[in-house]
Amino acid sequence: DAGVIQSPRHEVTEMGQEVTLRCKPISGHNSLFWYRQTMMRGLELLIYFNNNVPIDDSGMPEDRFSAKMPNASFSTLKIQPSEPRDSAVYFCASSFSWPGLEGLAGAFNEQYFGPGTRLTVT
Amino acid sequence: AQKITQTQPGMFVQEKEAVTLDCTYDTSDPSYGLFWYKQPSSGEMIFLIYQGSYDQQNATEGRYSLNFQKARKSANLVISASQLGDSAMYFCAMREDYSGGSNYKLTFGKGTLLTVNP
């Protein structure tokens, strides 16, 4: 079975440019997460979708960041305009959560991560 | 206070020996889950093993086992018969099931870099 797919794997762009990162979750998973990993801050949750609906975007750094999930098999994370401090590895992860039970203990299974996108903004 | 503490920034082990990577956690939730992930130099995050707070037995997955000591709030990862391919960063993570509706969140430790020597 295919795991979580992310593209591109590497992105180098100039400050001010728009960057779009893409993710295809594991088929059958209904929860999707975007993370950012840096040396200074470790792994940070940016946004969480459940059944394609954004549930928690409190980790999105600022308005320059936006994420969408138009359907169950595709999500994008967009940065516009990009800045050098956005340089990081961005991970997409997916998991299965028991429908209607998301607020209860044990509702979420383990998260499976994609290979990540290494973003460098110069 | 940090929710997940990994006190070993780096560890070395000889090939074929066992190694224990430490993880302590802090939560007041009665229900929670503990996870270990491996991140090799290629960068991907690989799920290794899961332990639920109510699980009676320690979790095992092949050469990986989780030494779960609930009273001490520790969830150490044990890798038996280390292989060169085990060299990687290892992250411990926790999911709190009653944390104000954020039971989907994983809180990660800072990681332990394991090097397996031939």
Side-chain angles (χ1 to χ4, degrees), chain A residues 3-95:
Chain A
V4 176
I5 298 171
Q6 289 187 248
S7 65
R9 294 293 309 275
H10 302 274
E11 178 80 34
V12 180
T13 191
E14 292 184 348
M15 183 174 66
Q17 297 297 306
E18 177 179 295
V19 175
T20 299
L21 311 181
R22 297 172 176 79
C23 174
K24 177 179 170 56
I26 292 172
S27 177
H29 282 186
N30 53 3
S31 293
L32 184 138
F33 307 82
W34 282 100
Y35 288 88
R36 178 171 66 178
Q37 185 181 35
T38 61
M39 288 294 293
M40 290 297 294
R41 301 173 69 93
L43 271 158
E44 304 173 276
L45 177 64
L46 299 179
I47 188 167
Y48 154 58
F49 291 87
N50 186 264
N51 292 319
N52 315 336
V53 176
I55 303 298
D56 181 359
D57 64 356
S58 60
M60 296 286 262
E62 48 199 275
D63 292 346
R64 297 185 297 105
F65 285 68
S66 63
K68 294 181 179 180
M69 192 166 185
N71 57 62
S73 58
F74 185 65
S75 177
T76 59
L77 178 68
K78 186 177 293 187
I79 308 172
Q80 165 64 14
S82 58
E83 296 183 3
R85 59 192 169 121
D86 301 330
S87 297
V89 179
Y90 291 82
F91 287 102
C92 175
S94 72
S95 75

Coordinates of all heavy atoms in Angstrom, one line a residue, chain A residues 3-95:
Chain A
G3 N 2.1 4.8 1.0 CA 2.0 5.6 2.2 C 1.5 7.0 1.9 O 1.0 7.3 0.8
V4 N 1.8 8.0 2.8 CA 1.5 9.3 2.5 C 2.5 9.9 1.5 O 3.7 9.6 1.6 CB 1.6 10.2 3.8 CG1 1.4 11.6 3.6 CG2 0.6 9.6 4.9
I5 N 1.9 10.5 0.5 CA 2.8 11.1 -0.6 C 2.8 12.6 -0.5 O 1.8 13.2 -0.4 CB 2.2 10.6 -1.9 CG1 2.2 9.1 -2.0 CG2 3.0 11.2 -3.1 CD1 1.5 8.5 -3.3
Q6 N 4.0 13.1 -0.6 CA 4.2 14.6 -0.6 C 5.0 15.0 -1.8 O 5.9 14.3 -2.2 CB 4.9 15.0 0.7 CG 4.1 14.9 2.0 CD 4.8 15.5 3.2 OE1 5.2 14.8 4.1 NE2 4.9 16.8 3.2
S7 N 4.7 16.2 -2.3 CA 5.5 16.8 -3.3 C 5.5 18.3 -3.2 O 4.6 18.9 -2.7 CB 4.9 16.4 -4.7 OG 3.6 16.9 -4.9
P8 N 6.6 18.9 -3.6 CA 7.8 18.3 -4.0 C 8.6 17.8 -2.8 O 8.2 18.1 -1.7 CB 8.6 19.4 -4.7 CG 8.1 20.7 -4.0 CD 6.6 20.4 -3.6
R9 N 9.7 17.1 -3.0 CA 10.5 16.6 -1.9 C 11.5 17.7 -1.5 O 11.8 17.9 -0.3 CB 11.3 15.4 -2.3 CG 10.5 14.2 -2.5 CD 9.8 13.7 -1.3 NE 10.8 13.5 -0.2 CZ 11.5 12.4 0.0 NH1 11.4 11.4 -0.8 NH2 12.3 12.3 1.0
H10 N 11.9 18.5 -2.4 CA 12.7 19.7 -2.1 C 12.2 20.9 -2.9 O 11.8 20.8 -4.0 CB 14.2 19.4 -2.5 CG 14.8 18.2 -1.9 ND1 15.4 18.3 -0.6 CD2 14.8 16.9 -2.3 CE1 15.8 17.1 -0.3 NE2 15.5 16.2 -1.3
E11 N 12.3 22.0 -2.2 CA 11.8 23.3 -2.9 C 12.8 24.4 -2.5 O 13.0 24.6 -1.3 CB 10.4 23.6 -2.5 CG 9.9 24.9 -3.1 CD 9.4 24.8 -4.5 OE1 8.9 23.7 -4.8 OE2 9.5 25.7 -5.3
V12 N 13.3 25.0 -3.4 CA 14.2 26.2 -3.2 C 13.5 27.4 -3.9 O 13.3 27.3 -5.1 CB 15.6 26.0 -3.7 CG1 16.5 27.3 -3.4 CG2 16.3 24.8 -3.0
T13 N 13.3 28.4 -3.2 CA 12.6 29.6 -3.7 C 13.2 30.9 -3.2 O 13.9 30.9 -2.1 CB 11.1 29.5 -3.5 OG1 10.4 30.5 -4.3 CG2 10.8 29.7 -2.0
E14 N 12.9 31.9 -3.8 CA 13.3 33.2 -3.3 C 12.3 33.9 -2.5 O 11.1 33.7 -2.6 CB 13.7 34.1 -4.5 CG 14.9 33.7 -5.3 CD 15.2 34.6 -6.4 OE1 14.4 35.5 -6.7 OE2 16.3 34.5 -7.0
M15 N 12.7 34.7 -1.5 CA 11.8 35.4 -0.7 C 10.8 36.2 -1.5 O 11.1 36.8 -2.5 CB 12.7 36.4 0.2 CG 11.9 37.2 1.2 SD 12.9 38.2 2.3 CE 13.6 39.3 1.1
G16 N 9.6 36.1 -1.0 CA 8.5 36.8 -1.7 C 7.7 35.9 -2.6 O 6.6 36.3 -3.0
Q17 N 8.2 34.8 -3.0 CA 7.5 33.9 -3.9 C 6.5 33.1 -3.2 O 6.6 32.8 -2.0 CB 8.5 33.0 -4.6 CG 9.5 33.7 -5.5 CD 8.9 34.5 -6.6 OE1 8.1 33.9 -7.4 NE2 9.1 35.7 -6.7
E18 N 5.5 32.6 -4.0 CA 4.5 31.7 -3.4 C 5.0 30.3 -3.5 O 5.6 29.9 -4.5 CB 3.2 31.8 -4.2 CG 2.1 30.9 -3.8 CD 0.9 31.1 -4.6 OE1 0.2 32.1 -4.6 OE2 0.5 30.1 -5.3
V19 N 4.8 29.5 -2.4 CA 5.2 28.1 -2.4 C 3.9 27.3 -2.1 O 3.1 27.6 -1.2 CB 6.2 27.9 -1.2 CG1 6.5 26.4 -1.1 CG2 7.5 28.7 -1.5
T20 N 3.7 26.2 -2.8 CA 2.6 25.3 -2.6 C 3.2 23.9 -2.4 O 3.9 23.3 -3.2 CB 1.6 25.3 -3.7 OG1 1.1 26.6 -3.9 CG2 0.5 24.3 -3.5
L21 N 2.8 23.3 -1.2 CA 3.2 22.0 -0.9 C 2.0 21.1 -1.0 O 0.9 21.5 -0.6 CB 3.8 21.9 0.6 CG 4.9 23.0 0.9 CD1 5.4 22.8 2.3 CD2 6.0 22.9 -0.1
R22 N 2.2 19.9 -1.4 CA 1.1 19.0 -1.7 C 1.2 17.7 -0.9 O 2.3 17.2 -0.6 CB 1.0 18.7 -3.2 CG 0.7 19.9 -4.0 CD 0.8 19.7 -5.5 NE 0.5 20.9 -6.3 CZ 1.3 21.9 -6.5 NH1 2.6 21.9 -6.0 NH2 0.9 22.9 -7.2
C23 N 0.0 17.1 -0.6 CA 0.0 15.9 0.2 C -1.2 15.0 -0.3 O -2.3 15.5 -0.5 CB -0.2 16.3 1.6 SG -0.5 14.8 2.7
K24 N -0.9 13.8 -0.4 CA -2.0 12.8 -0.6 C -1.9 11.8 0.5 O -0.9 11.1 0.7 CB -1.7 12.0 -1.9 CG -2.7 10.9 -2.2 CD -2.4 10.2 -3.5 CE -3.2 8.9 -3.7 NZ -4.6 9.2 -3.7
P25 N -3.0 11.8 1.4 CA -3.0 10.9 2.5 C -3.2 9.5 2.2 O -3.5 9.1 1.0 CB -4.2 11.5 3.4 CG -5.1 12.0 2.3 CD -4.2 12.6 1.3
I26 N -3.0 8.6 3.1 CA -3.3 7.2 2.9 C -4.8 7.0 2.7 O -5.6 7.6 3.4 CB -2.8 6.4 4.1 CG1 -1.3 6.4 4.2 CG2 -3.3 4.9 4.1 CD1 -0.7 5.8 5.5
S27 N -5.1 6.2 1.7 CA -6.5 5.9 1.4 C -7.2 5.3 2.6 O -6.8 4.4 3.3 CB -6.6 5.0 0.2 OG -7.9 4.6 -0.1
G28 N -8.4 5.9 2.9 CA -9.2 5.4 4.0 C -9.0 6.2 5.3 O -9.8 6.1 6.3
H29 N -7.9 7.0 5.3 CA -7.7 7.9 6.5 C -8.5 9.1 6.4 O -8.7 9.7 5.3 CB -6.2 8.2 6.6 CG -5.3 7.1 7.1 ND1 -4.0 7.3 7.4 CD2 -5.6 5.9 7.5 CE1 -3.5 6.2 7.9 NE2 -4.4 5.3 7.9
N30 N -9.1 9.5 7.5 CA -10.0 10.7 7.5 C -9.4 11.9 8.3 O -10.1 12.9 8.4 CB -11.3 10.3 8.1 CG -11.3 9.6 9.4 OD1 -10.2 9.5 10.0 ND2 -12.4 9.2 10.0
S31 N -8.2 11.7 8.8 CA -7.6 12.8 9.5 C -6.3 13.2 8.9 O -5.5 12.3 8.5 CB -7.3 12.5 11.0 OG -8.6 12.3 11.7
L32 N -6.0 14.5 8.7 CA -4.8 14.9 8.0 C -4.2 16.0 8.8 O -4.9 16.9 9.3 CB -5.1 15.3 6.6 CG -3.8 15.7 5.8 CD1 -3.9 15.2 4.3 CD2 -3.6 17.2 5.7
F33 N -2.9 16.0 8.9 CA -2.1 16.9 9.8 C -0.9 17.5 8.9 O -0.3 16.7 8.2 CB -1.5 16.2 11.0 CG -2.5 15.4 11.8 CD1 -2.9 14.1 11.4 CD2 -3.0 16.0 12.9 CE1 -3.8 13.4 12.2 CE2 -4.0 15.3 13.7 CZ -4.3 14.0 13.3
W34 N -0.7 18.7 9.1 CA 0.5 19.4 8.5 C 1.4 19.8 9.7 O 0.9 20.4 10.7 CB 0.2 20.6 7.7 CG -0.3 20.3 6.3 CD1 -1.6 20.3 5.9 CD2 0.5 20.0 5.2 NE1 -1.7 20.0 4.6 CE2 -0.4 19.9 4.1 CE3 1.9 19.9 5.0 CZ2 0.0 19.6 2.8 CZ3 2.3 19.6 3.7 CH2 1.4 19.4 2.6
Y35 N 2.7 19.4 9.6 CA 3.7 19.7 10.7 C 4.8 20.5 10.0 O 5.1 20.4 8.8 CB 4.3 18.5 11.3 CG 3.4 17.7 12.2 CD1 2.5 16.7 11.7 CD2 3.4 17.9 13.6 CE1 1.7 15.9 12.5 CE2 2.6 17.1 14.4 CZ 1.8 16.2 13.9 OH 1.0 15.4 14.7
R36 N 5.5 21.2 10.9 CA 6.8 21.9 10.4 C 7.9 21.4 11.4 O 7.6 21.4 12.6 CB 6.6 23.4 10.4 CG 7.9 24.1 10.1 CD 7.6 25.6 9.9 NE 7.2 26.3 11.1 CZ 7.0 27.6 11.2 NH1 7.1 28.3 10.1 NH2 6.7 28.2 12.3
Q37 N 9.0 21.1 10.9 CA 10.1 20.7 11.7 C 11.3 21.6 11.5 O 11.8 21.7 10.4 CB 10.5 19.2 11.5 CG 11.6 18.7 12.4 CD 12.0 17.3 12.1 OE1 12.1 16.8 11.0 NE2 12.3 16.5 13.2
T38 N 11.8 22.2 12.6 CA 13.0 23.0 12.5 C 13.9 22.5 13.7 O 13.5 21.9 14.7 CB 12.7 24.5 12.7 OG1 12.1 24.7 14.0 CG2 11.8 25.0 11.6
M39 N 15.2 22.9 13.6 CA 16.1 22.5 14.7 C 15.7 23.2 16.0 O 15.8 22.7 17.1 CB 17.5 22.9 14.3 CG 18.1 22.0 13.2 SD 18.4 20.3 13.8 CE 19.6 20.6 15.0
M40 N 15.3 24.5 15.8 CA 15.1 25.3 17.0 C 13.8 24.9 17.7 O 13.7 24.8 19.0 CB 15.0 26.8 16.6 CG 16.3 27.4 16.2 SD 17.5 27.4 17.6 CE 16.7 28.5 18.7
R41 N 12.7 24.6 17.0 CA 11.4 24.4 17.6 C 10.9 22.9 17.5 O 9.8 22.6 18.0 CB 10.4 25.3 16.9 CG 10.8 26.8 17.0 CD 9.8 27.6 16.2 NE 8.5 27.7 16.7 CZ 8.0 28.6 17.6 NH1 8.8 29.5 18.0 NH2 6.8 28.5 18.0
G42 N 11.7 22.1 16.9 CA 11.3 20.7 16.7 C 10.1 20.5 15.8 O 9.9 21.3 14.9
L43 N 9.2 19.6 16.1 CA 8.0 19.3 15.3 C 6.8 20.1 15.9 O 6.5 20.0 17.0 CB 7.7 17.8 15.3 CG 8.3 17.0 14.3 CD1 8.3 15.5 14.7 CD2 7.6 17.1 13.0
E44 N 6.2 20.9 15.0 CA 5.1 21.7 15.4 C 3.9 21.4 14.5 O 4.0 21.3 13.3 CB 5.4 23.2 15.2 CG 6.6 23.8 15.9 CD 6.8 25.2 15.4 OE1 7.5 25.4 14.4 OE2 6.4 26.1 16.1
L45 N 2.7 21.2 15.1 CA 1.5 21.0 14.4 C 1.0 22.3 13.8 O 0.8 23.3 14.6 CB 0.4 20.4 15.3 CG -0.9 20.1 14.6 CD1 -0.8 19.1 13.5 CD2 -1.9 19.7 15.7
L46 N 0.8 22.4 12.5 CA 0.3 23.6 11.9 C -1.2 23.6 11.8 O -1.8 24.6 12.2 CB 1.0 23.8 10.5 CG 2.5 23.9 10.5 CD1 2.9 24.0 9.0 CD2 3.0 25.1 11.3
I47 N -1.7 22.5 11.3 CA -3.2 22.5 11.1 C -3.6 21.0 11.0 O -2.9 20.1 10.7 CB -3.6 23.2 9.8 CG1 -5.1 23.3 9.6 CG2 -2.9 22.6 8.5 CD1 -5.5 24.3 8.5
Y48 N -4.9 20.8 11.4 CA -5.4 19.5 11.5 C -6.8 19.5 10.7 O -7.6 20.4 11.0 CB -5.6 19.0 12.9 CG -6.7 18.0 13.2 CD1 -6.7 16.8 12.5 CD2 -7.7 18.3 14.1 CE1 -7.7 15.9 12.8 CE2 -8.7 17.4 14.3 CZ -8.7 16.2 13.7 OH -9.7 15.3 13.9
F49 N -7.0 18.6 9.8 CA -8.3 18.4 9.1 C -8.9 17.1 9.6 O -8.2 16.1 9.7 CB -8.0 18.3 7.6 CG -7.6 19.6 7.0 CD1 -6.3 19.9 6.9 CD2 -8.5 20.5 6.4 CE1 -5.8 21.1 6.2 CE2 -8.1 21.6 5.8 CZ -6.8 21.9 5.7
N50 N -10.2 17.1 9.7 CA -10.9 15.9 9.9 C -12.1 15.8 8.9 O -12.8 16.8 8.8 CB -11.5 15.8 11.3 CG -12.2 14.4 11.6 OD1 -13.4 14.3 11.4 ND2 -11.4 13.4 11.9
N51 N -12.1 14.8 8.1 CA -13.1 14.7 7.0 C -13.1 15.9 6.1 O -14.2 16.5 5.8 CB -14.5 14.4 7.6 CG -14.6 13.0 8.2 OD1 -14.1 12.0 7.6 ND2 -15.3 13.0 9.3
N52 N -11.9 16.3 5.8 CA -11.7 17.4 4.9 C -11.9 18.8 5.5 O -11.8 19.8 4.8 CB -12.4 17.3 3.6 CG -12.4 15.9 3.0 OD1 -11.5 15.2 3.3 ND2 -13.4 15.6 2.2
V53 N -12.4 18.9 6.7 CA -12.7 20.1 7.3 C -11.6 20.6 8.3 O -11.2 19.8 9.1 CB -14.0 20.0 8.1 CG1 -14.4 21.3 8.9 CG2 -15.2 19.6 7.2
P54 N -11.1 21.8 8.2 CA -10.1 22.3 9.1 C -10.7 22.4 10.5 O -11.7 23.1 10.7 CB -9.7 23.6 8.6 CG -10.8 24.1 7.8 CD -11.5 22.9 7.2
I55 N -10.1 21.7 11.5 CA -10.6 21.6 12.8 C -9.7 22.6 13.7 O -10.3 23.2 14.6 CB -10.6 20.2 13.4 CG1 -11.4 19.3 12.5 CG2 -11.1 20.2 14.8 CD1 -12.9 19.6 12.4
D56 N -8.4 22.5 13.5 CA -7.6 23.3 14.4 C -6.4 23.9 13.6 O -5.6 23.2 13.1 CB -7.0 22.4 15.5 CG -6.1 23.1 16.4 OD1 -5.8 24.3 16.3 OD2 -5.5 22.5 17.4
D57 N -6.5 25.2 13.4 CA -5.4 25.9 12.6 C -4.6 26.8 13.5 O -4.0 27.7 13.1 CB -6.0 26.6 11.4 CG -6.9 27.8 11.8 OD1 -7.1 27.9 13.1 OD2 -7.3 28.5 10.9
S58 N -4.7 26.5 14.8 CA -4.0 27.4 15.8 C -2.5 27.4 15.7 O -1.8 28.4 16.1 CB -4.4 27.0 17.2 OG -4.0 25.7 17.5
G59 N -2.0 26.4 15.0 CA -0.5 26.4 14.8 C 0.0 27.1 13.6 O 1.2 27.2 13.4
M60 N -0.9 27.5 12.7 CA -0.5 28.2 11.5 C 0.2 29.6 12.0 O -0.4 30.4 12.7 CB -1.7 28.5 10.6 CG -2.3 27.2 10.1 SD -1.3 26.4 8.9 CE -2.2 27.1 7.4
P61 N 1.4 29.8 11.5 CA 2.2 30.9 12.1 C 1.6 32.3 11.8 O 1.5 33.1 12.7 CB 3.5 30.8 11.3 CG 3.6 29.4 10.8 CD 2.2 29.0 10.6
E62 N 1.0 32.5 10.7 CA 0.5 33.8 10.4 C -0.3 33.7 9.1 O -0.4 32.7 8.5 CB 1.6 34.9 10.2 CG 2.8 34.4 9.4 CD 4.0 35.2 9.6 OE1 4.2 36.3 9.0 OE2 4.9 34.7 10.4
D63 N -0.9 34.8 8.7 CA -1.8 34.8 7.5 C -1.1 34.5 6.2 O -1.8 34.2 5.2 CB -2.4 36.2 7.4 CG -3.4 36.5 8.5 OD1 -3.7 35.5 9.2 OD2 -3.8 37.7 8.7
R64 N 0.2 34.4 6.2 CA 0.9 34.1 5.0 C 0.7 32.6 4.7 O 1.0 32.1 3.6 CB 2.4 34.4 5.1 CG 2.7 35.9 5.3 CD 4.2 36.1 5.3 NE 4.9 35.5 6.4 CZ 5.6 34.4 6.3 NH1 5.8 33.8 5.1 NH2 6.2 33.8 7.3
F65 N 0.3 31.8 5.7 CA 0.2 30.4 5.6 C -1.3 30.1 5.4 O -2.2 30.6 6.2 CB 0.7 29.7 6.8 CG 2.2 29.6 7.0 CD1 2.9 30.7 7.2 CD2 2.8 28.4 6.8 CE1 4.3 30.6 7.3 CE2 4.2 28.3 6.9 CZ 4.9 29.4 7.2
S66 N -1.6 29.2 4.5 CA -3.0 28.7 4.3 C -3.0 27.3 3.9 O -2.0 26.8 3.3 CB -3.8 29.6 3.3 OG -3.2 29.5 2.0
A67 N -4.0 26.6 4.3 CA -4.1 25.1 3.9 C -5.5 24.8 3.5 O -6.5 25.4 4.0 CB -3.7 24.3 5.1
K68 N -5.6 23.9 2.5 CA -6.9 23.5 2.0 C -6.9 21.9 1.9 O -5.9 21.3 1.7 CB -7.2 24.1 0.6 CG -7.3 25.6 0.6 CD -7.7 26.1 -0.7 CE -7.9 27.6 -0.7 NZ -8.2 28.1 -2.1
M69 N -8.1 21.4 1.9 CA -8.3 20.0 1.7 C -9.6 19.8 0.9 O -10.7 19.6 1.4 CB -8.3 19.2 3.0 CG -8.2 17.7 2.7 SD -7.9 16.8 4.3 CE -7.7 15.1 3.6
P70 N -9.5 20.0 -0.4 CA -10.7 20.0 -1.3 C -11.4 18.6 -1.3 O -12.6 18.6 -1.6 CB -10.2 20.4 -2.6 CG -8.7 20.0 -2.6 CD -8.3 20.2 -1.2
N71 N -10.6 17.5 -1.1 CA -11.2 16.2 -1.1 C -10.4 15.3 -0.2 O -9.4 15.7 0.3 CB -11.4 15.6 -2.5 CG -10.1 15.6 -3.2 OD1 -9.1 14.9 -2.8 ND2 -10.0 16.3 -4.3
A72 N -10.9 14.1 0.0 CA -10.3 13.2 1.0 C -8.9 12.7 0.5 O -8.2 12.1 1.4 CB -11.2 12.0 1.2
S73 N -8.5 13.0 -0.7 CA -7.2 12.4 -1.2 C -6.2 13.5 -1.5 O -5.2 13.2 -2.1 CB -7.4 11.5 -2.4 OG -8.1 12.2 -3.4
F74 N -6.5 14.7 -1.1 CA -5.5 15.8 -1.5 C -5.6 17.0 -0.5 O -6.7 17.4 -0.2 CB -5.9 16.3 -2.9 CG -4.9 17.3 -3.5 CD1 -3.6 16.9 -3.7 CD2 -5.3 18.6 -3.8 CE1 -2.7 17.9 -4.2 CE2 -4.4 19.5 -4.3 CZ -3.1 19.2 -4.5
S75 N -4.4 17.5 -0.2 CA -4.3 18.7 0.6 C -3.2 19.5 0.2 O -2.2 19.0 -0.3 CB -4.2 18.3 2.1 OG -4.0 19.5 2.9
T76 N -3.3 20.8 0.3 CA -2.2 21.7 0.0 C -1.9 22.7 1.2 O -2.8 23.0 2.0 CB -2.5 22.6 -1.2 OG1 -3.7 23.4 -0.9 CG2 -2.7 21.8 -2.4
L77 N -0.6 23.0 1.3 CA -0.2 24.0 2.3 C 0.5 25.1 1.4 O 1.4 24.8 0.7 CB 0.8 23.4 3.3 CG 1.3 24.4 4.3 CD1 0.3 24.9 5.3 CD2 2.5 23.7 5.1
K78 N 0.0 26.3 1.5 CA 0.5 27.4 0.7 C 1.1 28.5 1.6 O 0.6 28.8 2.7 CB -0.6 28.0 -0.1 CG -0.2 29.0 -1.1 CD -1.3 29.5 -2.0 CE -1.8 28.4 -2.9 NZ -2.9 28.9 -3.8
I79 N 2.3 29.0 1.2 CA 2.9 30.1 1.8 C 3.1 31.2 0.8 O 3.7 31.1 -0.2 CB 4.3 29.7 2.4 CG1 4.2 28.4 3.2 CG2 4.9 30.9 3.2 CD1 5.6 27.9 3.6
Q80 N 2.5 32.4 1.1 CA 2.5 33.5 0.2 C 2.4 34.8 1.0 O 1.4 35.1 1.7 CB 1.3 33.4 -0.8 CG 1.0 34.7 -1.5 CD 2.1 35.1 -2.5 OE1 3.1 34.4 -2.8 NE2 2.1 36.3 -3.0
P81 N 3.4 35.6 1.0 CA 4.8 35.4 0.4 C 5.7 34.7 1.3 O 5.5 34.8 2.5 CB 5.3 36.9 0.2 CG 4.7 37.6 1.3 CD 3.3 37.0 1.5
S82 N 6.6 33.9 0.7 CA 7.5 33.2 1.6 C 8.7 34.1 2.1 O 9.0 35.1 1.5 CB 8.1 32.0 0.8 OG 8.8 32.5 -0.4
E83 N 9.2 33.7 3.3 CA 10.3 34.4 3.9 C 11.3 33.4 4.3 O 11.0 32.2 4.5 CB 9.7 35.1 5.1 CG 8.7 36.2 4.8 CD 8.3 37.0 6.1 OE1 8.8 36.7 7.2 OE2 7.4 37.9 5.9
P84 N 12.6 33.9 4.5 CA 13.7 32.9 4.8 C 13.4 32.2 6.1 O 13.8 31.0 6.2 CB 14.9 33.9 5.0 CG 14.6 35.0 4.1 CD 13.1 35.2 4.1
R85 N 12.7 32.7 7.1 CA 12.4 32.0 8.3 C 11.4 30.9 8.1 O 11.1 30.1 9.1 CB 11.9 33.0 9.4 CG 10.6 33.7 9.0 CD 10.4 34.9 10.0 NE 9.3 35.8 9.5 CZ 8.2 36.0 10.2 NH1 8.0 35.4 11.4 NH2 7.3 36.9 9.8
D86 N 10.8 30.8 7.0 CA 9.9 29.7 6.7 C 10.7 28.4 6.3 O 10.1 27.3 6.1 CB 8.9 30.0 5.5 CG 8.1 31.2 5.9 OD1 7.8 31.5 7.1 OD2 7.7 32.0 4.9
S87 N 12.0 28.5 6.1 CA 12.8 27.4 5.7 C 12.7 26.3 6.8 O 12.9 26.6 8.0 CB 14.3 27.8 5.5 OG 14.4 28.7 4.5
A88 N 12.3 25.1 6.4 CA 12.1 24.0 7.3 C 11.7 22.8 6.5 O 11.6 22.8 5.3 CB 10.9 24.4 8.3
V89 N 11.5 21.7 7.2 CA 10.9 20.5 6.6 C 9.4 20.5 7.0 O 9.1 20.6 8.2 CB 11.6 19.2 7.1 CG1 11.0 18.0 6.4 CG2 13.1 19.3 6.7
Y90 N 8.6 20.4 6.0 CA 7.2 20.3 6.2 C 6.7 18.9 6.0 O 6.9 18.3 4.9 CB 6.5 21.3 5.3 CG 6.7 22.7 5.6 CD1 7.9 23.4 5.2 CD2 5.9 23.5 6.4 CE1 8.2 24.7 5.6 CE2 6.1 24.8 6.8 CZ 7.3 25.4 6.4 OH 7.6 26.7 6.7
F91 N 6.0 18.4 7.0 CA 5.5 17.0 6.9 C 4.0 17.0 6.8 O 3.3 17.8 7.5 CB 5.9 16.2 8.1 CG 7.3 15.8 8.2 CD1 8.2 16.5 9.0 CD2 7.8 14.7 7.4 CE1 9.5 16.1 9.1 CE2 9.1 14.3 7.5 CZ 10.0 15.0 8.3
C92 N 3.4 16.1 6.1 CA 2.0 15.8 6.1 C 1.9 14.4 6.8 O 2.7 13.6 6.5 CB 1.5 15.8 4.7 SG -0.2 15.3 4.5
A93 N 0.9 14.3 7.6 CA 0.6 13.0 8.2 C -0.9 12.7 8.1 O -1.7 13.6 8.1 CB 1.1 13.0 9.7
S94 N -1.2 11.4 8.1 CA -2.6 11.1 8.1 C -2.9 9.9 9.1 O -2.0 9.2 9.5 CB -3.1 10.7 6.7 OG -2.6 9.4 6.3
S95 N -4.1 9.8 9.6 CA -4.5 8.8 10.5 C -6.0 8.5 10.3 O -6.7 9.3 9.6 CB -4.2 9.1 11.9 OG -5.1 10.1 12.4

